[in-house]
Amino acid sequence: MNKKGLITGITGQDGAYLAKFLLEKGYEVYGTYRRLSTPNFWRLQYLDIFDKVNLIPADLVDDASIVEAIKISNPDDIYHLAAQSFVGASFEQPVGTGMVTGLGVTRVLEAIRQINPKIKFYQASTSELYGNSSDKPVNENSPFKPASPYSAAKLYGYWLTQIYREGYTLFVCNGILFNHESPLRGLEFVTRKISNTVAKIALDLEKELKLGNLESKRDWGYAPEYVESMWLMLQQKEPDDYVIATNEAHSVREFTEKAFDVVGLDWQEYVKVDKRFLRPLDVNFLQGDYSKAKKKLGWEPEIKFDKLVEIMVKEDLDRWERWQNGEHFPWDALNYPSEVKIVTRALSV
Ligand code: NAP
Ligand code: F7E
């Protein structure tokens, strides 16, 4: 019989890629989605797997819906990816972020404990846990120092996962994933904001790119490769926690420069720093040492910085060209104008 996997947050970047990966492994795939006034299935449609996955309505603030999702799917593995995942928004909605990104983990773990403690569980932990604790590569033993409501909520989820592992001997793992990007990345994250705007500028559909902190450095990898590590963690004999990264750090400025290079333009002619995109507190540097994952999981990244930027810009360019040629396909950027009049304390959209 096929194994069954339940993905919370299947409509997000990682959820969609993981669903594709598990389908290719022969899994019966279930995924939770939340009720929205406008459906958000474009990533599943884009990957051509929308009709191959089973969708269950559930919200992380609603315990009953989580219990229902587990009972309906009766999974072997749960990949808990759903979260309010945007750091910028966590400063605007700190309480909601805690309820969803933090307490949501407890709700899923508790449901597993009560319904079927044999279910294996993956928690989407994050490099944001380290905050500004180090200007060197960090690993699983490095100290945490969260720098946003988002990372504080994720730290809570990280510890709850460890507590349920030790206290109830559940098979639960923390994947401490560093930033991973792709053409399916949400438009508010800096990499996709850059690739999408650069593509539009190249086609004369946009005039400038407004950014915040250009000096902040991140360890950026390629999302389709990172979802494989989630699965690998649940295939081990013992549950454990792993850093997943490329062990390279690049600045937002470098990403921007490289993205404009792809379309043959000089970034300095188009980029403006706009303080509305600065955060009350930012993480300046993150680089991950993935030696443990390499040794124990046999996992290693192939796509590095230059290639990642190229993939993203070329895909956004291709999409806008298809759109100009009148093609219709599922895609997010069309309904996302650059000048939206959103007013917030720390605007990061
Ligand atoms: P994403 O694209 O923002 O997807 C988040 C998913 O969570 C979406 O399916 C979203 O649904 C769902 N969601 C949000 N609030 C919810 C709620 N209240 N109830 C149920 N579902 C809810 O994020 P991602 O980049 O795929 O990341 C996946 C996970 O990994 C997240 O937990 C994130 O914090 C974590 N993570 C990401 C990275 C990274 O670089 N991508 C690195 C480390 C950790 P809608 O589609 O309806 O919004
Ligand atoms: O910001 C700076 C910004 O929003 C990266 C999430 O997946 O990865 C992600 O969190 C950096 C920050 O990602 C703009 O200040 C400059 O220093 O793309 P981001 P993030 O905050 O690193 C981690 C691992 C997660 O776990 C999260 O879920 O870029 N930056 N100018 C900007 N950022 C944005 N969004 N927009 C700008 O205009």
Side-chain angles (χ1 to χ4, degrees):
M1 224 171 61
N2 289 354
K3 278 182 114 180
K4 290 197 258 184
L6 172 64
I7 302 170
T8 68
I10 197 167
T11 54
Q13 171 189 255
D14 290 6
Y17 281 124
L18 179 64
K20 187 166 191 283
F21 176 85
L22 292 179
L23 286 167
E24 283 162 7
K25 286 265 167 214
Y27 277 72
E28 199 175 314
V29 176
Y30 292 80
T32 70
Y33 73 98
R34 52 186 181 148
R35 190 267 157 190
L36 300 170
S37 62
T38 308
N40 176 28
F41 297 124
W42 79 272
R43 293 184 177 91
L44 298 171
Q45 292 164 324
Y46 201 79
L47 294 178
D48 202 18
I49 55 170
F50 183 56
D51 57 350
K52 299 181 179 73
V53 298
N54 304 286
L55 295 166
I56 309 173
D59 197 301
L60 287 180
V61 297
D62 186 316
D63 308 45
S65 69
I66 294 169
V67 167
E68 191 75 357
I70 296 178
K71 287 189 171 164
I72 291 171
S73 56
N74 187 24
D76 300 283
D77 304 337
I78 295 181
Y79 296 89
H80 180 47
L81 308 185
Q84 191 302 92
S85 75
F86 188 43
V87 174
S90 80
F91 286 101
E92 284 128 29
Q93 294 157 28
V95 178
T97 301
M99 284 162 62
V100 171
T101 305
L103 275 175
V105 183
T106 317
R107 294 192 178 100
V108 180
L109 284 168
E110 195 47 31
I112 291 174
R113 189 184 73 78
Q114 293 185 24
I115 297 168
N116 177 7
K118 287 205 170 71
I119 295 172
K120 293 182 179 178
F121 172 86
Y122 170 88
Q123 163 60 9
S125 284
T126 165
S127 50
E128 286 292 302
L129 300 179
Y130 300 108
N132 284 312
S133 68
S134 175
D135 55 6
K136 306 250 162 15
V138 287
N139 65 25
E140 294 79 1
N141 302 315
S142 305
F144 296 136
K145 192 173 181 289
S148 64
Y150 167 79
S151 42
K154 281 286 184 184
L155 186 60
Y156 170 82
Y158 169 90
W159 282 118
L160 255 291
T161 302
Q162 290 219 351
I163 289 164
Y164 272 64
R165 180 156 76 212
E166 287 179 34
Y168 302 115
T169 57
L170 299 190
F171 193 112
V172 296
C173 302
N174 279 296
I176 308 173
L177 270 56
F178 283 61
N179 298 53
H180 45 281
E181 319 293 315
S182 74
L184 298 189
R185 188 57 143 151
L187 282 159
E188 71 272 60
F189 298 96
V190 77
T191 55
R192 180 85 197 292
K193 177 177 173 179
I194 296 169
S195 66
N196 181 55
T197 312
V198 166
K200 289 176 81 175
I201 290 172
L203 296 172
D204 223 8
L205 295 166
E206 190 73 76
K207 298 225 170 323
E208 59 186 13
L209 168 61
K210 290 180 186 164
L211 293 170
N213 181 3
L214 296 181
E215 305 316 325
S216 109
K217 290 191 168 176
R218 289 291 184 275
D219 181 332
W220 280 298
Y222 186 44
E225 293 183 348
Y226 281 43
V227 298
E228 181 179 8
S229 77
M230 301 173 183
W231 176 79
L232 283 168
M233 288 177 212
L234 300 195
Q235 309 314 304
Q236 305 308 303
K237 279 216 175 80
E238 301 295 335
D240 207 344
D241 305 327
Y242 299 89
V243 161
I244 299 296
T246 68
N247 210 350
E248 279 183 23
H250 298 272
S251 65
V252 172
R253 182 191 296 272
E254 282 175 79
F255 195 106
T256 310
E257 191 174 349
K258 196 59 72 188
F260 276 95
D261 278 355
V262 175
V263 294
L265 295 173
D266 177 1
W267 72 283
Q268 303 200 64
E269 288 179 22
Y270 301 95
V271 174
K272 285 209 176 113
V273 172
D274 184 333
K275 62 180 190 324
R276 292 178 310 152
F277 299 111
L278 298 175
R279 293 172 184 173
L281 185 60
D282 205 352
V283 174
N284 301 318
F285 176 89
L286 284 171
Q287 186 172 334
D289 170 2
Y290 64 91
S291 313
K292 179 176 171 183
K294 185 177 174 187
K295 189 166 171 225
K296 302 219 162 153
L297 306 177
W299 181 90
E300 212 170 350
E302 277 173 25
I303 306 281
K304 297 290 183 64
F305 182 72
D306 285 5
K307 186 71 191 161
L308 173 70
V309 180
E310 190 189 320
I311 290 173
M312 292 182 70
V313 173
K314 284 193 169 163
E315 181 75 13
D316 273 320
L317 199 58
D318 182 59
R319 287 164 172 167
W320 283 109
E321 279 169 347
R322 286 165 68 186
W323 174 74
Q324 284 183 318
N325 290 333
E327 241 189 89
H328 296 279
F329 54 94
W331 174 45
D332 57 346
L334 202 52
N335 300 317
Y336 199 89
S338 56
E339 287 300 332
V340 219
K341 199 171 178 202
I342 299 170
V343 186
T344 64
R345 191 165 29 84
L347 182 69
S348 303
V349 178

